Amino acid sequence: MFVCLSLLSNRLFTMESDIRILFIHSIEQHIKQNEFIKLSLGNYKGTDPDLKNIYVKPVQIKKQLNLSFTYRYKTRDITKNYTVQEALRLIGDLFNAHNFAASTLFITQANITCQQSKNKSWATTSSEPTAKMPTTLTHDHQKERKLAQGSKDYLHRLKLTDEMGNVYKNAQDKWKQINHYIELLSTMLKELPAGDVLQVVDMGSGKGYLTFALYDYLVNVLGKPSSIVGVEYRKDMVELCNRIAKMSSFANLRFEEGSIDEYRPKIRLDVLIALHACDTATDDAIAKGIENNAHLIVVAPCCHKQIRREMEKSKVDNRLDFLLKHGIFLERQAEMVTDGLRALILEYYGYQTKVFEFVSDAHTPKNVLVIGVKKSVTQKRKDEILIKIKATKEFFGIGYHHLERLVGLEV
Ligand SMILES: C[S@@+](CC[C@H](N)C(=O)[O-])C[C@H]1O[C@@H](n2cnc3c(N)ncnc32)[C@H](O)[C@@H]1O
């Protein structure tokens, strides 16, 4: 008769083979009863000098329950997914080969550890549960996200989720932002001309949250051959991101140390992204996109200091001076003027532009997205744009806009 280990809390078994058979039966039973959270196979005694342990967790693949095995090696992780039957067979083989001397099964009611003692005998013990069931597997009504959190090891390495794929409480805003950003981009990316490997550059990639998510979405969700380069001048970030990309087997995702204005694409530049690149770094990024004829330019600007300084310096008398004498209004106006002029300059170069709030300001104040999609522009419209830029600068007392200087359009 089958005996569920969780019902035998604190009881010790001594028959070695029975114990391991019961442990594997128990895993199967708890999977069937929807109580299985994860399994860790540790204290490795096998022959592979680099393997440390294996983590097993449930994942939904094409609406089927599978078990995902993460093989943790000294310098990288490898993830493989198996059907439940294949996985149970594999776990049985690993146990029979005596490869792992300590394994813990995490279920909703308990943690059950099966381990070999110094005298080589096996025993199981059970203790209070410490793991929680991941919400993606238990709540079908959860908001559908472009990126399923459960099976993404890179999210764990970037410290956004725990090992089981649960988003940490303090990473919830970032997670929402990432998904929303992918959701917005997904429509635009589908409209790009079909062709070769998509060449994407993320300027000021920082810790790479959005760079990784975009790569994962393009390559693993859409199946679109893509190459992404993150440009960042912080060496530590570049090294960290390259390490995680390698561990995640993201072969065409790399990070380069350097400044945005010095970046030269090796092949083409199809999509340019710059999220929260500070002050005029956003202009450097837009200029790279324009120069290289990118199909799509997406920037989320931040710290609009250059135009604010220009406006403060000149203090022109205009119909808005009653507003602009207040620092906070001047700051907000400077943001709008900076980004409004950026959109106009993009239009001048044939980009159809949109400016909108991309996440609620409850999540981040840097929440405006400027998007340019390459189309065409008439000479008449270009002339109108130049007049508009000139008038706007005069009205606000702006000597120059960094972007117009970069693209050689100063009027
Ligand atoms: C606020 S972080 C944003 C990171 C990332 N894009 C995101 O949204 O999560 C801005 C990053 O841009 C980098 N950065 C700013 N100006 C840069 C420049 N001119 N060249 C290269 N990197 C730059 C900074 O080092 C920083 O890591």
Side-chain angles (χ1 to χ4, degrees), residues 348 378-389:
Y348 180 89
T378 61
Q379 189 55 49
K380 181 169 171 280
R381 179 68 188 138
K382 284 174 101 168
D383 295 342
E384 284 167 9
I385 291 170
L386 290 185
I387 293 168
K388 179 73 81 187
I389 293 175

Side-chain angles (χ1 to χ4, degrees), residues 334-367:
E335 285 175 21
M336 287 195 283
V337 173
T338 308
D339 292 337
L341 288 173
R342 284 171 173 155
L344 272 179
I345 295 169
L346 276 163
E347 272 187 57
Y348 180 89
Y349 286 99
Y351 287 85
Q352 201 177 69
T353 58
K354 274 191 210 152
V355 178
F356 56 92
E357 186 179 79
F358 87 115
V359 277
S360 153
D361 59 6
H363 301 302
T364 170
K366 307 170 196 172
N367 59 355

